[in-house]
């Protein structure tokens, strides 16, 4: 460290008039390159001593030395953080590519199955079955809006049981979207927004059914989320780690309030008549409309707390850090070998099927109401 202090003094001595411009970087570089493990307090005293000797000690220069010392001491930790951020970026890229791969495989398999069935003796018996299965993949395939729009338009043109039908259609769409993947609040709210906005836009076109459509879709999306929460609760019992339960808890925090906020945001972006209808619902039916959703979310959070406390008392896996590190190491190896998968082969096919899927969804809702 003595050599570093000599360099510090000589450098400042040779350019005293510009000392204020170089003190911070000079201090940082000298400490970073030094192999000494002197405590920060001792370092500060040494460098301030040189500044005083050169008549350069003042509040501004002292602050620059302090900043440089702190920065140098966290340099290694910052580099580690940047490494983790880079790994996360690579992992996210891998996740996105894997989603595209799955999306294309779903489309490919559906396309092949449907073509073969249409040529087979089973065409009349099972065509609706394969369309029903495909409805659960509409969110993954990026055709949620198109499917919802087709279902709602078919319903509106038929003009029967609009509120009940739109509720059933919305409930089925959001529930299917929720369990296309994991229970993730952000994705649930995004899917909800797509379904709600699609319905509200149509409500402004089909004026005779505006109120029924708006009320039906708001209730349907909410009921779909409620069904999702009920199913989500059943997964708590299978968690081995407190960390897993804590992550699940985060997905439930504020979900009911964020759904209400989503509706309020939608209201601001809408025009009449949908805007006035939604505003009236939020002002006069808020407590009764969302009571069950709030209760379910609250009960689920309480159940998670109990499960977390139980795991703390009886841990099923003792060394979580080792398990996590092993997973990270595997990911790092896979990421470096990952080949990018980009395919739009089935995009047009998916969009063309969305209309028929919407019609099938309308038929399904109609059959449920008749039961």
């Amino acid at each position: 460290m003595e050599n570093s202090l000599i360099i510090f003094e000589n450098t400042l001595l040779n350019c005293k008039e510009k000392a204020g411009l170089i003190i911070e970087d000079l201090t940082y570089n000298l400490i970073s390159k030094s192999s000494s493990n002197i405590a920060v307090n001792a370092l500060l005293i040494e460098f301030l001593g040189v500044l005083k000797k050169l008549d350069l000690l003042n509040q501004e220069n002292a602050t620059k030395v302090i900043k440089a010392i702190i920065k140098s001491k966290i340099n290694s930790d910052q580099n580690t953080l940047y490494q983790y951020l880079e790994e996360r970026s690579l992992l996210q890229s891998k996740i996105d590519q894997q989603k595209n791969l799955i999306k294309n495989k779903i489309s490919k398999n559906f396309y092949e199955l449907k073509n073969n069935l249409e040529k087979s003796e089973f065409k009349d018996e099972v065509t609706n079955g394969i369309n029903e299965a495909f409805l659960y993949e509409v969110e993954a395939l990026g055709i949620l809006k198109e499917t919802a729009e087709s279902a709602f338009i078919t319903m509106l043109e038929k003009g029967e049981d609009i509120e009940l039908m739109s509720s059933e259609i919305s409930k089925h769409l959001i529930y299917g979207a929720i369990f296309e993947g994991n229970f993730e609040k952000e994705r649930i709210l995004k899917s909800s927004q797509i379904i709600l906005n699609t319905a509200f836009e149509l409500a402004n076109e089909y004026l005779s059914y505006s109120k029924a459509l708006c009320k039906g879709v708001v209730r349907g999306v909410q009921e779909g989320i409620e069904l999702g929460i009920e199913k989500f609760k059943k997964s708590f019992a299978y968690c081995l780690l407190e960390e897993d339960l804590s992550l699940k808890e985060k997905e439930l925090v504020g979900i009911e309030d964020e759904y209400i906020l989503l509706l309020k945001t939608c209201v601001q972006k809408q025009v009449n008549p949908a805007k006035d209808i939604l505003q009236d619902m939020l002002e006069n039916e808020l407590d009764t409309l969302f009571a069950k959703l709030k209760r379910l979310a609250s009960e689920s959070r309480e159940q998670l707390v109990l499960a977390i406390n139980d795991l703390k008392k009886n841990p099923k896996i003792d060394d979580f850090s080792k398990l996590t590190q092993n997973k990270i190491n595997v990911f790092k190896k896979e990421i470096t070998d990952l080949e990018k998968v980009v395919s739009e082969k089935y995009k047009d096919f998916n969009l063309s099927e969305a209309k028929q899927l919407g019609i099938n969804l309308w038929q399904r809702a109609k059959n449920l109401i008749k039961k």
Side-chain angles (χ1 to χ4, degrees):
M1 195 67 227
E2 187 176 347
N3 289 336
S4 297
L5 290 169
I6 293 172
I7 295 172
F8 183 66
E9 181 178 346
N10 290 335
T11 303
L12 293 180
L13 190 61
N14 291 330
C15 52
K16 224 174 174 183
E17 67 283 356
K18 296 182 180 178
L21 299 175
I22 65 171
I23 282 176
E24 187 172 341
D25 287 339
L26 179 60
T27 306
Y28 171 76
N29 289 329
L30 289 171
I31 297 174
S32 298
K33 293 175 181 178
S34 173
S35 58
S36 174
N37 289 319
I38 300 176
V40 290
N41 291 335
L43 280 172
L44 179 60
I45 297 301
E46 296 281 4
F47 278 92
L48 291 182
V50 173
L51 289 179
K52 187 171 184 179
K53 180 180 177 181
L54 299 176
D55 198 26
L56 291 171
L57 183 58
N58 56 42
Q59 290 289 345
E60 185 179 352
N61 289 342
T63 298
K64 290 176 180 178
V65 169
I66 292 169
K67 286 170 62 180
I69 292 173
I70 293 173
K71 184 179 176 183
S72 68
K73 290 300 180 181
I74 64 169
N75 185 50
S76 175
D77 296 312
Q78 277 192 319
N79 288 338
T80 301
L81 173 62
Y82 296 147
Q83 180 184 344
Y84 289 157
L85 290 172
E86 183 179 357
E87 289 172 4
R88 184 177 71 173
S89 176
L90 290 170
L91 181 56
Q92 185 60 53
S93 177
K94 177 186 173 182
I95 290 170
D96 292 340
Q97 290 159 15
Q98 192 67 19
K99 284 181 178 179
N100 286 333
L101 177 63
I102 292 170
K103 183 188 296 187
N104 290 322
K105 282 191 174 181
I106 291 171
S107 299
K108 178 178 181 292
N109 290 328
F110 178 79
Y111 180 74
E112 291 176 355
L113 285 171
K114 186 166 186 176
N115 276 350
N116 288 332
L117 282 172
E118 286 178 347
K119 298 172 185 176
S120 75
E121 58 184 299
F122 306 111
K123 177 181 178 181
D124 295 333
E125 289 90 343
V126 298
T127 298
N128 286 337
I130 192 168
N131 286 329
E132 175 77 11
F134 199 53
L135 278 171
Y136 282 94
E137 310 297 341
V138 294
E139 194 261 351
L141 296 171
I143 54 173
L144 181 58
K145 175 178 172 59
E146 291 80 5
T147 304
E149 188 174 59
S150 174
F152 290 141
I153 289 175
T154 303
M155 171 197 71
L156 290 164
E157 289 179 349
K158 298 292 182 182
E160 301 172 356
D161 300 314
I162 300 299
E163 187 169 338
L164 281 173
M165 292 282 283
S166 58
S167 179
E168 282 298 323
I169 289 169
S170 304
K171 179 168 65 176
H172 185 80
L173 278 173
I174 194 63
Y175 182 73
I178 288 173
F179 286 100
E180 176 273 325
N182 294 324
F183 189 98
E184 297 170 355
K185 180 169 61 178
E186 184 179 353
R187 190 168 56 80
I188 292 168
L189 292 171
K190 184 178 179 182
S191 296
S192 300
Q193 185 177 30
I194 290 171
I195 296 168
L196 290 167
N197 282 334
T198 301
F200 298 156
E201 288 169 8
L202 290 171
N204 290 326
E205 295 179 24
Y206 291 80
L207 302 182
S208 300
Y209 303 122
S210 296
K211 189 171 183 179
L213 176 55
C214 288
K215 287 198 167 190
V217 75
V218 169
R219 287 195 174 91
V221 170
Q222 176 195 316
E223 288 172 5
I225 295 173
E226 289 168 0
L227 286 174
I229 291 175
E230 290 280 17
K231 186 172 180 180
F232 183 52
K233 284 167 65 176
K234 294 177 183 178
S235 68
F236 299 167
Y238 301 101
C239 287
L240 296 175
L241 299 169
E242 180 185 336
E243 186 79 9
D244 292 339
L245 283 172
S246 296
L247 289 173
K248 288 180 180 289
E249 185 180 22
K250 288 179 182 178
E251 298 302 330
L252 281 169
V253 172
I255 189 169
E256 68 275 32
D257 295 325
E258 291 192 38
Y259 178 58
I260 295 171
L261 180 61
L262 172 62
L263 283 172
K264 290 179 177 178
T265 304
C266 288
V267 169
Q268 295 172 0
K269 296 179 180 179
Q270 284 303 317
V271 296
N272 287 326
K275 184 172 185 175
D276 284 345
I277 295 167
L278 293 168
Q279 191 65 51
D280 182 69
M281 289 181 72
L282 289 170
E283 289 176 357
N284 300 311
E285 302 180 43
L286 191 63
D287 291 337
T288 55
L289 192 62
F290 303 107
K292 183 180 178 183
L293 178 59
K294 289 186 175 184
R295 177 178 57 79
L296 272 173
S298 177
E299 288 176 355
S300 300
R301 287 193 289 268
E302 289 172 4
Q303 189 174 329
L304 266 170
V305 170
L306 291 174
I308 289 172
N309 290 336
D310 185 56
L311 265 182
K312 285 178 177 177
K313 294 175 183 175
N314 304 290
K316 298 177 184 178
I317 295 180
D318 294 326
D319 199 346
F320 174 70
S321 61
K322 288 184 180 179
L323 177 67
T324 305
Q325 190 57 51
N326 287 338
K327 287 183 178 180
I328 290 173
N329 290 336
V330 171
F331 279 139
K332 285 171 68 176
K333 289 180 181 178
E334 290 181 353
I335 291 168
T336 55
D337 298 330
L338 187 65
E339 182 178 350
K340 187 175 181 182
V341 179
V342 178
S343 173
E344 296 293 328
K345 183 176 180 181
Y346 298 96
K347 182 177 180 181
D348 292 338
F349 165 73
N350 291 337
L351 292 175
S352 67
E353 285 295 310
K355 183 176 181 180
Q356 184 57 46
L357 287 171
I359 295 171
N360 293 336
L361 180 55
W362 165 79
Q363 186 63 55
R364 181 184 188 279
K366 183 178 179 181
N367 293 340
L368 281 172
I369 291 172
K370 284 183 176 180
K371 289 182 180 178

